């Protein structure tokens, strides 16, 4: 059997710019611990001929093909019927799924219409995987020793079935050991700088492959090798070369890493945000359990709020402006003191596209970190669009906090 | 010529769960006004044989194939060399691109190494499209009347080339009128409810196709027809059936719609967030120009902050708990009054996965909207994961604000 899985994502919405297709991402993550790898994702419209052509092609290359979407109640949902017709198998009503749909309708005072009940149909002989967050169940169809998996399209229905049913099935079906790899995550580092540093130290040596991926303010360096011994040595080398710049050696987020450090040291944090408008608080609190160390913050978009809730002085705002190291410092110190936290972070900058001047261009951001001893302010000049400037500002703020926590 | 474009996204990072592939989304959006449609996106690893096989297949179906990724400085970047070898065309140095790389290196004190300069290579005879946010330029290669477009993989490099070079080229090359379609966006509506309502009114009539897509708290209804007259009638019908529930008839965000209404009415907003931790403020301020109407807010994660910065009473917290309509109301009123805004929004709830009880389960959220006349509180029972509960809470809060603004 091959070690690879292919994904076919169906749905016009994925091809008209309405929705970002997150299925490949979710499936690859779920597959990771099993040692199987996603080798291809093909996104196609809801068209029976295109679906069958793509499915046949995929089944020639791999043993497991996952098809997402097209199991819903509307007329553009054609996956189930198309595959049943091709395999010449009847559709049968799944008792659990139909009961679940009936109950959901009853609870909401709706008719269990024919369109709705159609979602409980599955191919005869399929293994049915319950959908606890929606109507259409997942199913696993075996045909000539190959496997076709059908999953509903909405991520919040598809993802639980992935982890609760597909992965356990794969783990039972396949007994594979993942190839050795080691990853390093860095915040705000440029791929080119790392490559240059590595080249200077004649890294990677023979037998080690290094791959790089930069996204959302994080650079991932992935080392792989056939030999675990070689890999361990290479990881030690990278650790020596990069030092503190590495924030994790597993796939995680910077907010989770900084949060864990705060929790371990029993320290608390408060935030004062201007140009990021709450994004830093939002990222920190997206980690479950963050209430143990995050007290809260102030979104001081208007200057009056900076004065009133954070105690930034009017003279500072008048003399240096809202986007200045002085204002960032007073924001961090003000929120730390007023909220009674161990650390205060202040961010002020120009996210763009409007609002820049020659002296203070779009992308100029000041980040301040205050604790009981001192306040550090970092000046950043970020490029690209509003979203990037805002995200990168929160990323650099979290990394300042992480580096400070390493010294505590 | 076909009206369709295929995309091939290359890069191991897209298949290992590291990065969500946003290329299809960006390309489909950019193509939309040109009338061309994205008919398929195939995501593959950086492998010359897989790339050529996929590219040949795509060129049999369509006239324009966009390939993203694999133009960088590292050894896993193989797109340019693979295609040059297949087409038997030499690679030549693009003067502008090499000059830009040299300048960027100089500015940062780096060596213009061979690996870096390799990014300025293009296929002989290609039309070169400058990359103003990175190193490798885009290029357009004509071969036997078909077109291959190579674009860099990082979205912040690829997207500007899309809009600044690819779209203008398509507009010149093709002269097509987009098929008539009309869209409606609704916040927090269930597809099934809309389908049932439509069925009851025998909608859609013959000649009109309706498609549905739910994502990120927004349901999109897309009507299409060959006849613009029929389409206009159908849009009127939908407008009559759905009324105020429709927040837009174009692709936009709820925060942009609510923001525009605030700006037009010269009204201001302040937010008090508990379980959403700043996400509402972050969404509001992701709209450029939001400083005209958004004053700021308080992230009151800890109860002490609710008391101190928002004036929530200790008795309320002790008697009803932090997750209660009473607390939500006092948060909204407190932030409105203390920040001097026309509207105050308060959100408190249990995002999960931990923290739920039988009486107050995960997903229970109270949203309050205060203005000078009254405070309305809405109780929501949301399911699914932490991220969804948090996002949906901000979506429903923005929709409450929008509906209130419609009455002003």
């Amino acid at each position: 059997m091959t070690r690879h899985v292919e994904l076919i994502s169906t749905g016009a919405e994925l091809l008209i710019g309405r929705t970002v297709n997150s299925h490949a991402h979710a499936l690859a993550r779920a597959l990771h611990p099993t040692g199987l790898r996603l080798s291809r994702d093909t996104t196609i419209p809801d068209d029976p001929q295109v679906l069958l052509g793509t499915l046949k092609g995929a089944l020639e290359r791999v043993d497991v093909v996952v098809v997402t979407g097209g199991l819903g109640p509307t007329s553009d949902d054609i996956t189930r019927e198309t595959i049943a017709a091709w395999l010449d198998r009847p559709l049968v009503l799944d008792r659990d799924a139909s009961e679940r749909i009936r109950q959901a309708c009853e609870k909401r005072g709706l008719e269990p219409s024919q369109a709705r009940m159609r979602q409980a149909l599955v191919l005869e002989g399929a293994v049915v995987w319950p959908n606890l967050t929606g109507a259409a169940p997942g199913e696993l169809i075996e045909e000539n020793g190959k496997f076709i998996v059908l999953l509903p399209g909405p991520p919040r229905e598809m993802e639980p079935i992935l982890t609760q049913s597909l992965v356990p099935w794969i783990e039972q079906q396949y007994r594979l050991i993942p190839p050795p790899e080691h990853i390093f995550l860095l915040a705000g580092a440029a791929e080119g700088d790392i490559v240059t540093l590595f080249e200077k130290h004649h890294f990677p040596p023979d037998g080690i492959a290094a791959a790089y991926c930069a996204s959302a303010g994080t650079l991932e360096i992935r080392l792989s090798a056939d030999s675990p011994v070689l890999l361990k040595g290479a990881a030690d080398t990278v650790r020596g070369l990069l030092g503190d710049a590495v924030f994790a050696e597993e796939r995680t987020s910077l907010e989770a890493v900084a949060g864990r450090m705060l929790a371990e040291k029993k320290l608390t944090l408060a935030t004062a945000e201007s140009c990021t408008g709450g994004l830093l608080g939002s990222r920190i609190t997206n980690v479950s359990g963050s209430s143990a160390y995050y007290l809260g913050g102030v979104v001081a978009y208007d200057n009056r709020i900076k004065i009133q809730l954070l105690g930034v002085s009017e003279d500072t705002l008048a003399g240096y402006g809202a986007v200045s190291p002085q204002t960032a410092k007073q924001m961090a110190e003000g929120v730390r003191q007023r909220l009674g936290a161990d650390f205060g972070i202040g961010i002020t900058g120009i996210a763009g596209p409007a609002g820049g001047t020659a002296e203070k261009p779009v992308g100029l951001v000041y980040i301040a970190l205050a604790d009981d001893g001192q306040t550090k302010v970092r000046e950043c000049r970020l490029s690209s669009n509003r979203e990037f400037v805002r995200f990168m500002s929160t990323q650099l703020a979290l990394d300042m906090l992480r580096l400070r926590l390493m010294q505590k």
Side-chain angles (χ1 to χ4, degrees), chain A:
Chain A
M1 293 179 85
T2 65
R3 290 166 54 98
H4 293 114
V5 175
E6 283 202 21
L7 171 62
I8 300 173
S9 309
T10 73
E13 71 277 12
L14 303 171
L15 291 165
I16 58 168
R18 178 70 191 82
T19 313
V20 174
N21 185 354
S22 60
H23 291 167
H25 184 249
L27 178 58
R29 290 212 157 206
L31 287 177
H32 191 262
T34 70
L36 265 68
R37 291 291 173 262
L38 180 64
S39 58
R40 184 182 302 235
D41 168 30
T42 310
T43 305
I44 54 172
D46 310 288
D47 179 302
Q49 289 319 309
V50 175
L51 171 59
L52 286 183
T54 310
L55 180 58
K56 288 174 193 171
L59 287 169
E60 279 170 23
R61 288 183 294 261
V62 298
D63 296 328
V64 180
V65 179
V66 177
V67 182
T68 60
L71 304 180
T74 53
S75 55
D76 59 358
D77 291 307
I78 52 93
T79 300
R80 180 195 296 113
E81 287 73 11
T82 301
I83 293 176
W86 175 52
L87 298 180
D88 197 18
R89 294 213 207 168
L91 289 167
V92 295
L93 204 69
D94 180 68
R95 187 185 295 267
D96 284 356
S98 64
E99 188 50 37
R100 204 168 284 121
I101 293 170
R102 202 166 282 126
Q103 282 174 7
C105 286
E106 200 169 294
K107 204 170 141 191
R108 300 178 54 202
L110 299 170
E111 272 301 300
S113 65
Q114 209 185 334
R116 287 210 176 82
M117 295 311 294
R118 189 161 73 85
Q119 298 176 88
L121 292 174
V122 296
L123 270 71
E124 195 174 66
V127 176
V128 180
W129 289 334
N131 177 351
L132 302 178
T133 52
E139 54 188 300
L140 170 77
I141 302 147
E142 184 169 0
E143 182 78 11
N144 294 330
K146 303 251 175 173
F147 298 93
I148 303 168
V149 174
L150 307 187
L151 297 178
R156 54 186 286 261
E157 299 181 25
M158 177 259 194
E159 290 174 16
I161 304 178
L162 263 190
T163 50
Q164 286 155 30
S165 299
L166 176 63
V167 166
W169 173 78
I170 286 176
E171 281 173 346
Q172 200 177 38
Q173 186 77 13
Y174 292 74
R175 299 255 171 233
L176 294 166
I177 299 152
E181 66 170 33
H182 196 107
I183 70 156
F184 295 90
L185 301 185
L186 293 83
E191 180 176 338
D193 297 349
I194 303 296
V195 170
T196 305
L197 176 74
F198 282 2
E199 277 170 3
K200 224 169 74 184
H201 291 83
H202 307 290
F203 186 88
D206 285 347
I208 297 286
Y212 304 84
C213 174
S215 80
T218 298
L219 177 69
E220 177 179 303
I221 304 168
R222 193 171 68 257
L223 307 181
S224 54
D226 289 328
S227 148
V229 177
L230 263 184
L231 186 67
K232 194 179 167 302
D236 288 342
T237 305
V238 169
R239 223 173 273 124
L241 288 173
L242 300 179
D244 283 358
V246 173
F247 75 77
E249 297 189 18
E250 60 179 331
R251 292 210 173 92
T252 182
S253 66
L254 186 51
E255 55 268 37
V257 170
R260 197 166 51 218
M261 291 171 82
L262 285 167
E264 279 168 9
K265 294 172 198 284
K266 298 193 193 312
L267 294 168
T268 57
L269 173 66
T271 54
E273 305 184 57
S274 182
C275 62
T276 52
L279 181 60
L280 179 59
S282 175
R283 288 186 62 188
I284 293 166
T285 58
N286 212 15
V287 178
S288 183
S290 48
S291 58
Y293 48 82
Y294 182 62
L295 301 182
V298 171
V299 180
Y301 219 55
D302 192 275
N303 278 348
R304 281 188 298 132
I305 316 296
K306 294 186 182 79
I307 296 167
Q308 188 187 326
L309 291 190
L310 296 170
V312 174
S313 88
E314 291 192 49
D315 289 349
T316 300
L317 289 170
Y320 301 102
V323 179
S324 65
Q326 291 83 357
T327 299
K329 180 170 186 286
Q330 291 182 18
M331 287 171 69
E333 291 174 353
V335 83
R336 175 181 173 272
Q337 194 212 328
R338 295 193 176 201
L339 272 64
D342 295 305
F343 288 99
I345 292 176
I347 304 181
T348 180
I350 300 158
T357 63
E359 204 193 338
K360 294 187 178 178
V362 167
L364 176 66
V365 178
Y366 293 97
I367 304 170
L369 174 66
D371 65 13
D372 56 358
Q374 56 177 333
T375 302
K376 274 200 180 161
V377 185
R378 180 170 171 181
E379 179 184 293
C380 310
R381 291 174 184 269
L382 304 167
S383 56
S384 192
N385 60 21
R386 182 176 181 90
E387 214 174 322
F388 180 81
V389 169
R390 283 160 47 98
F391 188 87
M392 203 61 196
S393 301
T394 65
Q395 186 77 342
L396 296 174
L398 288 168
D399 210 41
M400 271 177 87
L401 174 64
R402 176 187 68 85
L403 290 167
R404 188 80 190 84
L405 281 164
M406 289 184 71
Q407 297 159 4
K408 285 259 169 182

